Amino acid sequence: MKKIYLSITFILFAAALFAQQQEITVCHTSATEKFAVFASSKEFKASHATPGKYVHVSEEGGKMIKFKCADGVEANGYLIEAKTKTNNWILVFQEWWGLNDYIKKQSDNLYKDLGNVNILAVDMYDGKVTNQREDAARYMQEFKQERGNAIVKGALEYAGKNARVGTIGWCFGGGQSLLAALTAGKQAAACVIYYGMPVEDVARLKELNCEVLGIFATQDKWINPETVAKFESNMSAAGKKLTLKSYNADHGFANPSNAMGYKEEATKDAYENTLAFFKSKLK
């Protein structure tokens, strides 16, 4: 009887330990890793319409550049310099397709509509761009956040120590926008997230030095309303200001190349909120 009791006790202890380890693993999984898991979902891949053909010709002087990174590997970026010298910068982060011509077009739009600001769309895939879902899924899964952090640090160094930095990104880039704002430290002036995976670690969120505008979709099955509510709670616990704008739309609604889910009115309103937010922070 004693042996049976000890065996049951051991089994219960082992089960509790396993559950605790599983909880720790989940809690400490990074936002980037969580988003990469979505790439294994056929439904997630199918929800992204293949981008239509578009070749961007900049009317704002945009050009591709290279800049140094601390890890010794150069990075690529699409740069539009302000006509009048300014320390206001916006780092733009791509969707899971890579730094494609649609992101360059969006960068041009931000530059034109915001006025005196430098725009740098950073290439987080180191030259890899696709219009195929399977490739995009693979690129997102292969992405290493350590390299991403190095790219952001290189971009910040390129902008200069006096730069006041705003960040913006969509989908994969939405999560990268928040992470870049954290990396920017005291240089961070504003952060915009379009349906990206938020950071859950409250202690990490306490390190934020700027306000966040979160733009989400109520029909999003992945960055769903529960995820958004948790982000709001975590930001509150961290003592940080978050403005939420939720739209009756699905993931990727602000991408004009998304034939399945693009919502023109929601996109227009979200963009107007984005411009107002940046203008209030990058004066």
Side-chain angles (χ1 to χ4, degrees):
M1 187 71 180
K2 188 174 180 180
K3 288 183 178 179
I4 295 174
Y5 175 77
L6 288 173
S7 297
I8 293 173
T9 302
F10 176 78
I11 292 169
L12 291 173
F13 174 77
L17 182 61
F18 176 78
Q20 185 181 41
Q21 289 174 335
Q22 289 295 98
E23 183 179 359
I24 290 171
T25 300
V26 170
C27 289
H28 289 274
T29 301
S30 72
T32 302
E33 291 170 331
K34 287 180 181 178
F35 203 79
V37 169
F38 295 156
S40 301
S41 165
K42 291 182 179 179
E43 188 179 7
F44 182 77
K45 285 182 277 193
S47 71
H48 291 72
T50 301
K53 291 183 179 180
Y54 170 70
V55 177
H56 182 64
V57 178
S58 179
E59 296 180 358
E60 309 299 334
K63 60 183 180 181
M64 290 299 295
I65 65 165
K66 290 187 177 292
F67 54 88
K68 296 179 180 179
C69 297
D71 61 4
V73 181
E74 283 189 324
N76 311 303
Y78 177 74
L79 173 69
I80 317 171
E81 294 180 287
K83 293 179 175 64
T84 303
K85 189 174 181 179
T86 178
N87 286 321
N88 289 336
W89 286 75
I90 292 179
L91 300 185
V92 178
F93 293 90
Q94 70 210 36
E95 291 186 309
W96 74 333
W97 308 107
L99 179 52
N100 62 17
D101 280 9
Y102 284 100
I103 296 298
K104 294 174 184 177
K105 180 180 180 180
Q106 187 62 62
S107 298
D108 275 28
N109 290 340
L110 285 166
Y111 177 84
K112 179 176 62 178
D113 295 333
L114 286 172
N116 199 34
V117 65
N118 303 286
I119 304 284
L120 179 57
V122 288
D123 177 7
M124 301 298 274
Y125 286 172
D126 286 313
K128 292 181 289 187
V129 184
T130 185
N131 62 359
Q132 300 299 312
R133 299 182 185 115
E134 291 297 330
D135 289 337
R138 188 174 75 254
Y139 294 162
M140 196 168 75
Q141 289 177 314
E142 291 173 349
F143 172 77
K144 302 299 181 186
Q145 191 59 58
E146 294 81 3
R147 173 58 181 161
N149 294 342
I151 292 171
V152 170
K153 289 175 182 176
L156 291 169
E157 186 173 345
Y158 184 89
K161 63 180 181 181
N162 295 321
R164 300 180 69 253
V165 179
T167 66
I168 183 172
W170 302 262
C171 186
F172 163 80
Q176 293 303 310
S177 175
L178 180 57
L179 290 170
L182 284 162
T183 299
K186 293 182 178 179
Q187 288 185 266
C191 172
V192 179
I193 304 171
Y194 273 77
Y195 34 80
M197 180 62 77
V199 171
E200 290 188 358
D201 188 345
V202 174
R204 185 120 191 257
L205 290 173
K206 286 181 179 180
E207 299 173 4
L208 265 175
N209 285 281
C210 67
E211 295 181 21
V212 176
L213 172 61
I215 295 170
F216 298 98
T218 58
Q219 297 174 30
D220 196 327
K221 300 178 186 65
W222 296 276
I223 312 300
N224 55 37
E226 291 76 17
T227 299
V228 176
K230 187 172 183 180
F231 181 39
E232 184 176 25
S233 175
N234 289 339
M235 285 287 282
S236 178
K240 303 300 176 180
K241 187 172 181 180
L242 168 66
T243 299
L244 288 176
K245 298 292 181 181
S246 293
Y247 297 89
N248 184 25
D250 207 339
H251 189 84
F253 74 85
N255 185 343
S257 72
N258 179 7
M260 296 187 299
Y262 176 64
K263 299 293 185 182
E264 185 176 357
E265 288 302 314
T267 299
K268 181 180 177 182
D269 189 74
Y271 187 62
E272 288 175 354
N273 278 288
T274 296
L275 293 178
F277 181 69
F278 277 141
K279 286 178 179 179
S280 70
K281 305 303 177 186
L282 294 169
K283 297 179 180 179

